[in-house]
Amino acid sequence: QVQLVESGGGLVPAGGSLRLSCAASGRTMSRFAAGWFRQAPGKEREFVASISWSGQATAYVDSVKGRFTISRENAKNTVFLQMNSLKPEDTAVYYCAARVTYSTSTYSQPGDFNYWGQGTQVTVSS
């Protein structure tokens, strides 16, 4: 079993930055792809970013390209989401997710992932 614990959410003004962290515990020696999703009230869960197990491939939803960066430090069992130039539209609960994989692909659908964090609130004020 793998458990994911998210941190780094908070309240920031428009144009500000946050770095979200997702720390994995349990069975962490396998190859895991990871991703970030977000969900605003009344909306469906939305793909934000993902990264391959090696960190060599990444993917982003168009609305965050150039502003968000996903990265990982496998030795520390941690995935990050650096969020810059934040907009009020980025306000949501952010979830990290992971899955075991032996491919080099990224994933972008909620159903692609087996493990989920509890979510962390990001609020961007105007």
Side-chain angles (χ1 to χ4, degrees):
Q1 184 66 264
V2 174
Q3 292 187 329
L4 307 178
V5 179
E6 296 145 304
S7 61
L11 174 64
V12 295
S17 298
L18 285 173
R19 189 180 75 160
L20 306 184
S21 299
C22 178
S25 62
R27 189 170 64 89
T28 59
M29 300 302 294
S30 298
R31 295 170 176 171
F32 287 94
W36 289 93
F37 294 78
R38 65 188 181 187
Q39 188 166 21
K43 295 186 177 180
E44 297 292 321
R45 188 166 297 188
E46 177 191 29
F47 166 75
V48 177
S50 63
I51 189 167
S52 64
W53 73 267
S54 67
Q56 296 183 20
T58 58
Y60 301 90
V61 66
D62 286 345
S63 61
V64 309
K65 288 181 178 178
R67 300 189 298 120
F68 292 8
T69 303
I70 188 170
S71 62
R72 67 192 303 162
E73 296 182 14
N74 287 347
K76 298 180 180 179
N77 302 315
T78 304
V79 178
F80 303 97
L81 185 68
Q82 180 66 46
M83 308 165 67
N84 298 327
S85 302
L86 283 162
K87 305 175 181 180
E89 307 91 88
D90 297 317
T91 295
V93 176
Y94 283 69
Y95 300 88
C96 68
R99 64 164 287 156
V100 175
T101 183
Y102 291 95
S103 79
T104 58
S105 299
T106 59
Y107 302 86
S108 61
Q109 297 297 317
D112 293 331
F113 295 91
N114 306 108
Y115 305 100
W116 292 84
Q118 79 285 357
T120 185
Q121 177 70 48
V122 172
T123 303
V124 184
S125 63
S126 59

